[in-house]
């Protein structure tokens, strides 16, 4: 739930650090904004009752966040609903010159 964090990029970098080479990290998060930048109704309502989001993401900003964390292979699937969820998967690639020997 990366949208709840104050520093999501730092969390993504740390997830990559502790993931083994060739491993995969799955990062689901709710998308509180529409692609036009407006806040979704349910997200706004939750904010009114005190739910604190670290940030409101739309699909584009979520994809950019994953890529900015330095992952080469990023895949994002959108799961529609009242508050859509983006399911991001990142694969930690092996360093150049890596071998199993």
């Amino acid at each position: 739930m990366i949208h709840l964090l104050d520093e999501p990029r730092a969390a993504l970098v740390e997830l990559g650090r502790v993931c083994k080479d060739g491993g995969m990290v799955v990062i689901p998060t709710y998308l509180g904004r529409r692609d036009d930048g407006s806040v979704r109704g349910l997200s706004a309502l939750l904010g009114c009752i005190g739910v604190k989001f670290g940030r409101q993401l739309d699909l584009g900003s979520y994809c950019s966040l994953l890529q900015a964390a330095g992952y080469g292979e990023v895949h994002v699937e959108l799961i529609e609903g009242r508050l859509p969820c983006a399911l991001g998967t990142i694969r930690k690639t092996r360093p150049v010159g890596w071998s199993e020997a």
Side-chain angles (χ1 to χ4, degrees):
M1 303 307 225
I2 208 81
H3 65 279
L4 298 174
L5 302 176
D6 290 331
E7 296 184 37
R9 185 178 179 281
L12 292 171
V13 170
E14 181 64 10
L15 284 169
R17 188 188 70 76
V18 299
C19 183
K20 71 178 187 173
D21 290 337
M24 182 180 291
V25 179
V26 179
I27 306 164
T29 198
Y30 289 109
L31 301 176
R33 290 199 180 273
R34 293 182 184 85
D35 290 339
D36 67 4
S38 63
V39 176
R40 295 181 186 275
L42 183 56
S43 186
L45 178 63
L46 291 171
C48 288
I49 62 171
V51 176
K52 302 286 187 221
F53 296 104
R55 64 183 54 230
Q56 297 280 358
L57 299 168
D58 61 27
L59 189 58
S61 61
Y62 178 67
C63 291
S64 295
L65 181 63
L66 294 179
Q67 291 167 342
Y71 295 100
E73 186 179 330
V74 176
H75 175 76
V76 176
E77 182 177 338
L78 178 62
I79 302 167
E80 295 287 352
R82 285 188 193 267
L83 194 54
C85 180
L87 184 61
T89 56
I90 51 179
R91 183 167 302 277
K92 184 174 180 181
T93 56
R94 294 185 172 112
V96 174
W98 184 90
S99 92
E100 299 218 15

PDB file of all heavy atoms in Angstrom, residues 1-12 52-55:
ATOM      1  N   MET A   1       0.828  -1.183   0.000  1.00  0.00           N
ATOM      2  CA  MET A   1       0.000   0.000   0.000  1.00  0.00           C
ATOM      3  C   MET A   1       0.874   1.248   0.000  1.00  0.00           C
ATOM      4  O   MET A   1       0.930   2.008   0.946  1.00  0.00           O
ATOM      5  CB  MET A   1      -0.921  -0.024   1.204  1.00  0.00           C
ATOM      6  CG  MET A   1      -1.787  -1.264   1.271  1.00  0.00           C
ATOM      7  SD  MET A   1      -2.662  -1.478  -0.264  1.00  0.00           S
ATOM      8  CE  MET A   1      -4.245  -1.864   0.289  1.00  0.00           C
ATOM      9  N   ILE A   2       1.554   1.412  -1.101  1.00  0.00           N
ATOM     10  CA  ILE A   2       2.546   2.462  -1.250  1.00  0.00           C
ATOM     11  C   ILE A   2       1.940   3.862  -1.114  1.00  0.00           C
ATOM     12  O   ILE A   2       2.631   4.805  -0.742  1.00  0.00           O
ATOM     13  CB  ILE A   2       3.309   2.251  -2.585  1.00  0.00           C
ATOM     14  CG1 ILE A   2       4.704   2.816  -2.513  1.00  0.00           C
ATOM     15  CG2 ILE A   2       2.563   2.788  -3.764  1.00  0.00           C
ATOM     16  CD1 ILE A   2       5.667   1.926  -1.838  1.00  0.00           C
ATOM     17  N   HIS A   3       0.643   3.999  -1.371  1.00  0.00           N
ATOM     18  CA  HIS A   3      -0.015   5.307  -1.281  1.00  0.00           C
ATOM     19  C   HIS A   3      -0.100   5.823   0.152  1.00  0.00           C
ATOM     20  O   HIS A   3      -0.351   6.993   0.370  1.00  0.00           O
ATOM     21  CB  HIS A   3      -1.417   5.242  -1.902  1.00  0.00           C
ATOM     22  CG  HIS A   3      -2.349   4.347  -1.180  1.00  0.00           C
ATOM     23  ND1 HIS A   3      -2.357   2.987  -1.366  1.00  0.00           N
ATOM     24  CD2 HIS A   3      -3.295   4.607  -0.252  1.00  0.00           C
ATOM     25  CE1 HIS A   3      -3.278   2.452  -0.590  1.00  0.00           C
ATOM     26  NE2 HIS A   3      -3.849   3.410   0.096  1.00  0.00           N
ATOM     27  N   LEU A   4       0.116   4.963   1.138  1.00  0.00           N
ATOM     28  CA  LEU A   4       0.041   5.372   2.536  1.00  0.00           C
ATOM     29  C   LEU A   4       1.359   5.919   3.078  1.00  0.00           C
ATOM     30  O   LEU A   4       1.397   6.477   4.166  1.00  0.00           O
ATOM     31  CB  LEU A   4      -0.407   4.190   3.410  1.00  0.00           C
ATOM     32  CG  LEU A   4      -1.793   3.633   3.100  1.00  0.00           C
ATOM     33  CD1 LEU A   4      -2.056   2.379   3.919  1.00  0.00           C
ATOM     34  CD2 LEU A   4      -2.869   4.677   3.332  1.00  0.00           C
ATOM     35  N   LEU A   5       2.425   5.758   2.332  1.00  0.00           N
ATOM     36  CA  LEU A   5       3.753   6.128   2.815  1.00  0.00           C
ATOM     37  C   LEU A   5       4.118   7.562   2.476  1.00  0.00           C
ATOM     38  O   LEU A   5       3.772   8.062   1.414  1.00  0.00           O
ATOM     39  CB  LEU A   5       4.803   5.185   2.209  1.00  0.00           C
ATOM     40  CG  LEU A   5       4.591   3.700   2.493  1.00  0.00           C
ATOM     41  CD1 LEU A   5       5.637   2.879   1.748  1.00  0.00           C
ATOM     42  CD2 LEU A   5       4.624   3.420   3.982  1.00  0.00           C
ATOM     43  N   ASP A   6       4.853   8.186   3.390  1.00  0.00           N
ATOM     44  CA  ASP A   6       5.334   9.545   3.147  1.00  0.00           C
ATOM     45  C   ASP A   6       6.466   9.557   2.114  1.00  0.00           C
ATOM     46  O   ASP A   6       6.620  10.518   1.376  1.00  0.00           O
ATOM     47  CB  ASP A   6       5.837  10.182   4.444  1.00  0.00           C
ATOM     48  CG  ASP A   6       4.698  10.489   5.413  1.00  0.00           C
ATOM     49  OD1 ASP A   6       3.568  10.738   4.933  1.00  0.00           O
ATOM     50  OD2 ASP A   6       4.939  10.449   6.637  1.00  0.00           O
ATOM     51  N   GLU A   7       7.278   8.504   2.098  1.00  0.00           N
ATOM     52  CA  GLU A   7       8.407   8.418   1.170  1.00  0.00           C
ATOM     53  C   GLU A   7       8.344   7.098   0.398  1.00  0.00           C
ATOM     54  O   GLU A   7       9.145   6.189   0.633  1.00  0.00           O
ATOM     55  CB  GLU A   7       9.721   8.533   1.927  1.00  0.00           C
ATOM     56  CG  GLU A   7       9.898   9.889   2.602  1.00  0.00           C
ATOM     57  CD  GLU A   7      11.257  10.014   3.259  1.00  0.00           C
ATOM     58  OE1 GLU A   7      12.250   9.493   2.700  1.00  0.00           O
ATOM     59  OE2 GLU A   7      11.316  10.633   4.325  1.00  0.00           O
ATOM     60  N   PRO A   8       7.391   6.990  -0.548  1.00  0.00           N
ATOM     61  CA  PRO A   8       7.229   5.717  -1.251  1.00  0.00           C
ATOM     62  C   PRO A   8       8.438   5.303  -2.080  1.00  0.00           C
ATOM     63  O   PRO A   8       8.754   4.124  -2.177  1.00  0.00           O
ATOM     64  CB  PRO A   8       6.001   5.937  -2.128  1.00  0.00           C
ATOM     65  CG  PRO A   8       5.872   7.414  -2.249  1.00  0.00           C
ATOM     66  CD  PRO A   8       6.440   7.989  -0.996  1.00  0.00           C
ATOM     67  N   ARG A   9       9.148   6.269  -2.665  1.00  0.00           N
ATOM     68  CA  ARG A   9      10.318   5.909  -3.473  1.00  0.00           C
ATOM     69  C   ARG A   9      11.374   5.236  -2.614  1.00  0.00           C
ATOM     70  O   ARG A   9      11.983   4.242  -3.017  1.00  0.00           O
ATOM     71  CB  ARG A   9      10.897   7.134  -4.183  1.00  0.00           C
ATOM     72  CG  ARG A   9      12.025   6.776  -5.127  1.00  0.00           C
ATOM     73  CD  ARG A   9      12.557   8.016  -5.867  1.00  0.00           C
ATOM     74  NE  ARG A   9      13.646   7.665  -6.737  1.00  0.00           N
ATOM     75  CZ  ARG A   9      14.899   7.452  -6.345  1.00  0.00           C
ATOM     76  NH1 ARG A   9      15.223   7.566  -5.073  1.00  0.00           N
ATOM     77  NH2 ARG A   9      15.833   7.133  -7.214  1.00  0.00           N
ATOM     78  N   ALA A  10      11.605   5.750  -1.416  1.00  0.00           N
ATOM     79  CA  ALA A  10      12.582   5.146  -0.509  1.00  0.00           C
ATOM     80  C   ALA A  10      12.171   3.714  -0.142  1.00  0.00           C
ATOM     81  O   ALA A  10      13.020   2.825  -0.059  1.00  0.00           O
ATOM     82  CB  ALA A  10      12.729   5.997   0.746  1.00  0.00           C
ATOM     83  N   ALA A  11      10.881   3.502   0.064  1.00  0.00           N
ATOM     84  CA  ALA A  11      10.388   2.152   0.381  1.00  0.00           C
ATOM     85  C   ALA A  11      10.610   1.208  -0.799  1.00  0.00           C
ATOM     86  O   ALA A  11      11.012   0.052  -0.609  1.00  0.00           O
ATOM     87  CB  ALA A  11       8.914   2.209   0.750  1.00  0.00           C
ATOM     88  N   LEU A  12      10.370   1.690  -2.011  1.00  0.00           N
ATOM     89  CA  LEU A  12      10.582   0.865  -3.205  1.00  0.00           C
ATOM     90  C   LEU A  12      12.051   0.495  -3.367  1.00  0.00           C
ATOM     91  O   LEU A  12      12.388  -0.640  -3.708  1.00  0.00           O
ATOM     92  CB  LEU A  12      10.084   1.590  -4.450  1.00  0.00           C
ATOM     93  CG  LEU A  12       8.577   1.773  -4.545  1.00  0.00           C
ATOM     94  CD1 LEU A  12       8.231   2.701  -5.700  1.00  0.00           C
ATOM     95  CD2 LEU A  12       7.880   0.438  -4.702  1.00  0.00           C
ATOM     96  N   LYS A  52      -5.591   9.172   6.370  1.00  0.00           N
ATOM     97  CA  LYS A  52      -4.455   9.925   5.837  1.00  0.00           C
ATOM     98  C   LYS A  52      -3.745   9.121   4.762  1.00  0.00           C
ATOM     99  O   LYS A  52      -3.299   8.008   4.998  1.00  0.00           O
ATOM    100  CB  LYS A  52      -3.454  10.239   6.952  1.00  0.00           C
ATOM    101  CG  LYS A  52      -4.045  11.024   8.098  1.00  0.00           C
ATOM    102  CD  LYS A  52      -4.266  12.448   7.711  1.00  0.00           C
ATOM    103  CE  LYS A  52      -4.699  13.233   8.929  1.00  0.00           C
ATOM    104  NZ  LYS A  52      -5.717  14.174   8.697  1.00  0.00           N
ATOM    105  N   PHE A  53      -3.666   9.687   3.580  1.00  0.00           N
ATOM    106  CA  PHE A  53      -2.915   9.096   2.492  1.00  0.00           C
ATOM    107  C   PHE A  53      -1.599   9.840   2.387  1.00  0.00           C
ATOM    108  O   PHE A  53      -1.576  11.064   2.431  1.00  0.00           O
ATOM    109  CB  PHE A  53      -3.666   9.232   1.162  1.00  0.00           C
ATOM    110  CG  PHE A  53      -4.969   8.476   1.134  1.00  0.00           C
ATOM    111  CD1 PHE A  53      -6.165   9.146   1.256  1.00  0.00           C
ATOM    112  CD2 PHE A  53      -4.964   7.101   0.988  1.00  0.00           C
ATOM    113  CE1 PHE A  53      -7.368   8.442   1.227  1.00  0.00           C
ATOM    114  CE2 PHE A  53      -6.152   6.398   0.957  1.00  0.00           C
ATOM    115  CZ  PHE A  53      -7.359   7.071   1.077  1.00  0.00           C
ATOM    116  N   GLY A  54      -0.493   9.120   2.236  1.00  0.00           N
ATOM    117  CA  GLY A  54       0.799   9.772   2.037  1.00  0.00           C
ATOM    118  C   GLY A  54       0.790  10.572   0.747  1.00  0.00           C
ATOM    119  O   GLY A  54       1.350  11.641   0.656  1.00  0.00           O
ATOM    120  N   ARG A  55       0.107  10.023  -0.253  1.00  0.00           N
ATOM    121  CA  ARG A  55      -0.038  10.696  -1.539  1.00  0.00           C
ATOM    122  C   ARG A  55      -1.200  10.093  -2.290  1.00  0.00           C
ATOM    123  O   ARG A  55      -1.574   8.959  -2.051  1.00  0.00           O
ATOM    124  CB  ARG A  55       1.235  10.629  -2.363  1.00  0.00           C
ATOM    125  CG  ARG A  55       1.643   9.233  -2.761  1.00  0.00           C
ATOM    126  CD  ARG A  55       2.948   9.182  -3.529  1.00  0.00           C
ATOM    127  NE  ARG A  55       3.989   9.841  -2.777  1.00  0.00           N
ATOM    128  CZ  ARG A  55       4.790  10.779  -3.289  1.00  0.00           C
ATOM    129  NH1 ARG A  55       4.701  11.111  -4.538  1.00  0.00           N
ATOM    130  NH2 ARG A  55       5.701  11.352  -2.568  1.00  0.00           N
TER     131      ARG A  55
END
